[in-house]
Amino acid sequence: IQLPDKLVFLYATNLFRVVPINAPHRTDIDTSYMGDSVAKWDGETLVVDVNSLNDDTWLGPDGYFHTEALHVVERFTRTGDTMRYDVTVEDPNVLSKPWTMNPRTLRLGNRPLEEGPPCVEKDADHLVTLDHH
């Protein structure tokens, strides 16, 4: 979701990021899983700078660890109906130099957003981990 002063990234896992545009990083926060993101425009490319990430996560499917010194820069460039996504990762405590992910190009479409089904009380009998005591 793009607003004049911020972006909101929504993820399928019920996570979200609110990213201010043209604002400095906050200095009054603790580290977290999503970190502190700020954005700015570099021509036609949106650049998202992320810091204040905790070290409880890993990078990539192979589980590369990182420290709280992790710094991530994401670049989103739209061309027609495609979006190019570039990421550069820095962590001087683990990496000898910045690592840049192979860029991804995603085709944008007009697919409707699909809402996940709610978990409601009537579903309780079907849950195998629910304690009925």
Side-chain angles (χ1 to χ4, degrees):
I1 300 170
Q2 182 177 343
L3 302 167
D5 63 338
K6 68 180 72 88
L7 304 159
V8 180
F9 287 83
L10 304 172
Y11 300 96
T13 57
N14 293 328
L15 295 174
F16 63 91
R17 276 195 298 171
V18 177
V19 182
I21 298 173
N22 296 327
H25 278 290
R26 293 181 53 188
T27 58
D28 62 341
I29 60 171
D30 293 328
T31 60
S32 66
Y33 292 105
M34 301 299 278
D36 181 54
S37 298
V38 295
K40 67 179 180 180
W41 287 99
D42 180 10
E44 295 294 315
T45 298
L46 179 72
V47 179
V48 179
D49 188 281
V50 188
N51 68 11
S52 296
L53 292 148
N54 65 31
D55 60 2
D56 293 335
T57 62
W58 56 86
L59 302 172
D62 294 327
Y64 299 119
F65 69 94
H66 63 84
T67 68
E68 290 185 355
L70 181 67
H71 175 233
V72 178
V73 177
E74 301 169 289
R75 299 176 67 84
F76 299 86
T77 307
R78 182 173 183 166
T79 304
D81 65 348
T82 63
M83 178 77 71
R84 180 183 165 114
Y85 179 64
D86 296 272
V87 178
T88 300
V89 176
E90 299 174 300
D91 186 337
N93 296 334
V94 177
L95 301 172
S96 61
K97 62 181 182 178
W99 173 77
T100 301
M101 180 184 87
N102 288 332
R104 294 184 189 172
T105 299
L106 309 170
R107 183 163 305 284
L108 306 174
N110 291 325
R111 294 182 306 175
L113 292 175
E114 296 181 14
E115 180 179 354
C119 182
V120 293
E121 192 172 313
K122 70 180 180 180
D123 295 329
D125 292 335
H126 303 288
L127 300 175
V128 295
T129 58
L130 187 63
D131 186 3
H132 289 288
H133 297 290

